Amino acid sequence: MDILGIDIGGSGIKGAIVDVTNGQLLTERHRIPTPKPATPGAVGKALAELVNHFKWKGPIGATFPAIIRHNIAYSAANVHDDWIGTNDADVIEQYTGCKAHVINDADAVGIAEQRFGGGKQYRGTVFLITVGTGLGTALMVDGGIVPNTELGHLILPKHGHAESFCSDAARKRDDLKWKEWAKRFECYLAHLEHLFSPEVFVIGGGVSKKPEKFVKHLNIQTPVKMAELKNLAGIIGAAVIAEHG
Ligand code: BGC
């Protein structure tokens, strides 16, 4: 079955048609900038443009950077507050005419990486972290997901709010050298390791393109792998999950 996967992020809205049986892209990825401010109406119009680009009329699977339960957004850490309480799938359908299913962005990356990428050979607890503007988490157990874990918002004993302490935005904001940032990230990973004893940490998001800058500075027990599907994982994961709505 083919589904249009769409990854709605703070800076870009990216899409591609995905064969959900094997996670392969059937088209090039197409990106349009996220409108500012990213209100539901403005994003809806951008989505209509994206769907038009693919001349798509079938189902859509989309990611959103917030707590998503039954397609409704329950938080807005890095998006416009108007999304809180909004049924994201209804907004997509209203602007594109296509039926949609929406999940949290990090969960989508986790699902795609577990099935087709960096987590594939692991069973048990696989912990994925996307490091970008936000700190997104996906907790997989034996291939299934515990959705909406939101552990980027953990309060670390000595350092406070994890996302503010060691996201990629925090690295840029505090003008940290990679080693300095890596030591912050190590505190976060060590805390998660203590809480969840995962088989592996899979790291996605912007920093995963530069493992040589930080992995050597991480002193933890759990193996650390980079996400393999790069910036396509959200698109693939959202499409795969939308198959069963
Ligand atoms: C949001 C999460 C999201 C993560 C990555 C966090 O601020 O609360 O829902 O998964 O950013 O975008």
Side-chain angles (χ1 to χ4, degrees):
M1 184 180 187
D2 303 343
I3 293 185
L4 175 60
I6 301 182
D7 194 4
I8 303 175
S11 58
I13 301 178
K14 291 86 63 180
I17 299 171
V18 181
D19 176 348
V20 297
T21 56
N22 55 16
Q24 295 295 311
L25 261 60
L26 299 173
T27 62
E28 293 277 302
R29 168 182 175 274
H30 185 68
R31 178 187 191 278
I32 47 182
T34 306
K36 302 264 180 293
T39 56
V43 171
K45 283 185 194 144
L47 290 169
E49 192 186 320
L50 190 74
V51 167
N52 243 345
H53 168 86
F54 290 106
K55 303 197 179 0
W56 184 250
K57 301 214 178 321
I60 290 176
T63 74
F64 199 71
I67 299 170
I68 302 287
R69 290 185 58 219
H70 308 296
N71 292 315
I72 298 171
Y74 285 92
S75 65
N78 294 305
V79 288
H80 198 281
D81 278 353
D82 282 1
W83 285 97
I84 298 178
T86 297
N87 185 315
D88 291 17
D90 285 353
V91 171
I92 297 176
E93 195 173 341
Q94 185 190 337
Y95 282 88
T96 66
C98 301
K99 286 260 174 255
H101 182 74
V102 182
I103 61 172
N104 170 266
D105 57 352
D107 285 352
V109 174
I111 287 160
E113 287 292 332
Q114 172 84 68
R115 290 206 194 168
F116 308 114
K120 206 163 59 179
Q121 83 250 40
Y122 293 92
R123 278 292 164 262
T125 305
V126 171
F127 208 111
L128 174 122
I129 305 165
T130 60
V131 187
T133 308
L135 206 53
T137 57
L139 177 60
M140 266 85 50
V141 185
D142 290 335
I145 189 156
V146 181
N148 292 309
T149 43
E150 293 289 333
L151 291 161
H153 299 294
L154 265 183
I155 303 299
L156 301 172
K158 291 194 189 132
H159 307 288
H161 183 225
E163 180 170 287
S164 314
F165 179 60
C166 63
S167 65
D168 202 32
R171 181 180 67 80
K172 292 173 185 157
R173 180 199 64 214
D174 294 346
D175 202 12
L176 299 176
K177 298 210 164 44
W178 276 99
K179 184 174 179 186
E180 292 170 319
W181 175 80
K183 286 295 161 197
R184 288 192 183 191
F185 193 49
E186 178 187 289
C187 294
Y188 179 55
L189 293 180
H191 194 62
L192 290 174
E193 182 177 74
H194 183 65
L195 294 176
F196 295 99
S197 303
E199 299 296 325
V200 62
F201 285 118
V202 182
I203 312 299
V207 305
S208 66
K209 290 184 211 141
K210 297 180 180 160
E212 71 286 355
K213 303 265 190 208
F214 69 94
V215 175
K216 60 184 177 222
H217 301 302
L218 298 175
N219 184 15
I220 55 163
Q221 307 292 323
T222 310
V224 176
K225 292 193 70 172
M226 295 304 114
E228 287 173 8
L229 304 171
K230 311 286 175 219
N231 56 9
L232 302 176
I235 292 174
I236 296 170
V240 163
I241 288 302
E243 185 184 6
H244 302 293

